[in-house]
Amino acid sequence: MSISGATRVAGVVGRPISHSMSPILHNAWLAAVGLDGVYVPFSVQPGRFVAFVNSLRGGTVAGLNVTLPFKGEALALADETTFRARGAQAANVLVFRDDGTILADNTDGLGMLGAFAEQAPGFDPAAGPVVILGAGGGSRGAAAAFVEAGCGDVRIVNRTLLKAQEIAEPLGATAFALSDAAKAFEGAIAVVNATSAGLSGSPALEAPLEATPQGAVIMDMVYKPLKTPFLAQAEGLGRQTVDGLAMLIGQAVPSFEAFYGQAPPAGVDVRTLALKALGL
Ligand code: NDP
């Protein structure tokens, strides 16, 4: 990669950031397309995020992906926000315009829908009830994306019911306590695990997936391990599954487009690169 005076700079900001897969994905696409651009990680101290982003206004960088713990602050400081970002109450993409304004978007939900399209072709989010487990940032992005995709029956299940209610209410979704998961699973066409249970080293989520219809598609946002205990349980029941790495790559696609003005090139096997970087 050679850096010139005209190199278009974008990146990802978070803390910690060294584990981020995003630089691997974006720089592989940039290299493949031969674009004069670079994508770099920014580790910003808590309390300095807003000053950092404001200092970049006016096109110093083309854009930023935003990850934990700054997604809420990113939404709040933007001049314009997309429906998806407002629905998710969080932004994972900031686009810096030449006039000094910032547009905030959320592509996590698009990434999730892209993962379904890739690994469960034919899945139609508008065809029936979908269930999201968890009520954090991932859940909010997923819920907003399902609503925007035409799903009229989104069910949010969470250990802390109040948090599920807070997400459900503005979206016209329904909230369930985790103890009522079996009820929420009735008739579902998809179940998405957006809890952090099942992350390497943490106990698996206990969910009564046997209460889902045989045709339900089961997805886990967690991608380390790639086959989480939740997905293994779903496979054991004969359900079709979708993994979190496909979502991670899916959210990067519209981000790349927003930063570099073109879609990522086809034919770059970023999944294999990411699996290698994850040691999987
Ligand atoms: P948050 O920390 O915001 O939310 C975590 C949620 O998990 C909370 O609702 C919490 O419940 C619930 N939870 C945690 N542990 C348990 C448990 N043992 N049993 C039941 N519920 C539990 O996380 P995010 O929403 O930001 O992320 C969720 C997961 O999704 C993470 O693993 C993250 O890495 C992944 N993710 C993956 C993406 C991808 O591209 N593949 C994108 C975004 C997220 P409570 O409210 O009761 O505390």
Side-chain angles (χ1 to χ4, degrees):
M1 182 195 308
S2 72
I3 305 288
S4 78
T7 298
R8 196 166 174 81
V9 181
V12 56
V13 55
R15 195 165 179 107
I17 201 63
S18 58
H19 67 287
S20 175
M21 290 288 112
S22 296
I24 293 166
L25 304 178
H26 286 269
N27 286 313
W29 283 326
L30 284 167
V33 84
L35 212 139
D36 187 6
V38 68
Y39 184 99
V40 290
F42 295 104
S43 176
V44 173
Q45 290 171 9
R48 294 186 190 272
F49 175 77
V50 174
F52 169 73
V53 173
N54 280 331
S55 75
L56 302 174
R57 283 179 185 268
T60 312
V61 302
L64 290 174
N65 281 123
V66 182
T67 187
L68 294 176
F70 301 124
K71 288 183 176 185
E73 280 179 270
L75 182 76
L77 63 68
D79 303 285
E80 201 184 318
T81 55
T82 62
F83 168 84
R84 292 192 293 261
R86 290 192 298 277
Q89 298 163 43
N92 74 321
V93 175
L94 295 176
V95 176
F96 294 82
R97 295 164 165 153
D98 288 340
D99 66 2
T101 60
I102 296 175
L103 169 71
D105 194 6
N106 190 307
T107 62
D108 281 339
L110 282 182
M112 179 198 66
L113 293 176
F116 273 92
E118 184 195 328
Q119 297 189 345
F123 173 77
D124 175 6
V130 301
V131 179
I132 302 162
L133 302 169
S139 169
R140 285 198 296 268
F146 276 128
V147 169
E148 200 181 18
C151 181
D153 187 353
V154 175
R155 304 169 182 177
I156 299 166
V157 178
N158 196 43
R159 186 173 59 179
T160 311
L161 178 60
L162 183 65
K163 280 166 73 180
Q165 287 167 332
E166 281 168 4
I167 298 176
E169 205 259 326
L171 291 171
T174 316
F176 292 82
L178 193 55
S179 52
D180 285 332
K183 216 186 315 170
F185 289 166
E186 276 171 28
I189 59 165
V191 176
V192 176
N193 178 25
T195 74
S196 39
L199 266 174
S200 306
S202 73
L205 182 70
E206 305 233 343
L209 287 178
E210 61 283 356
T212 58
Q214 189 63 43
V217 181
I218 312 297
M219 180 191 174
D220 201 332
M221 286 194 186
V222 173
Y223 53 84
K224 196 168 183 183
L226 190 61
K227 189 189 286 188
T228 60
F230 184 74
L231 290 186
Q233 183 194 353
E235 270 184 22
L237 291 164
R239 307 292 189 269
Q240 194 173 4
T241 60
V242 173
D243 67 50
L245 185 57
M247 172 172 173
L248 181 80
I249 295 168
Q251 62 77 33
V253 170
S255 304
F256 185 93
E257 228 168 317
F259 302 153
Y260 301 108
Q262 58 182 273
V268 186
D269 188 359
V270 286
R271 185 176 170 91
T272 297
L273 288 175
L275 285 171
K276 206 168 144 201
L278 286 164
L280 298 172

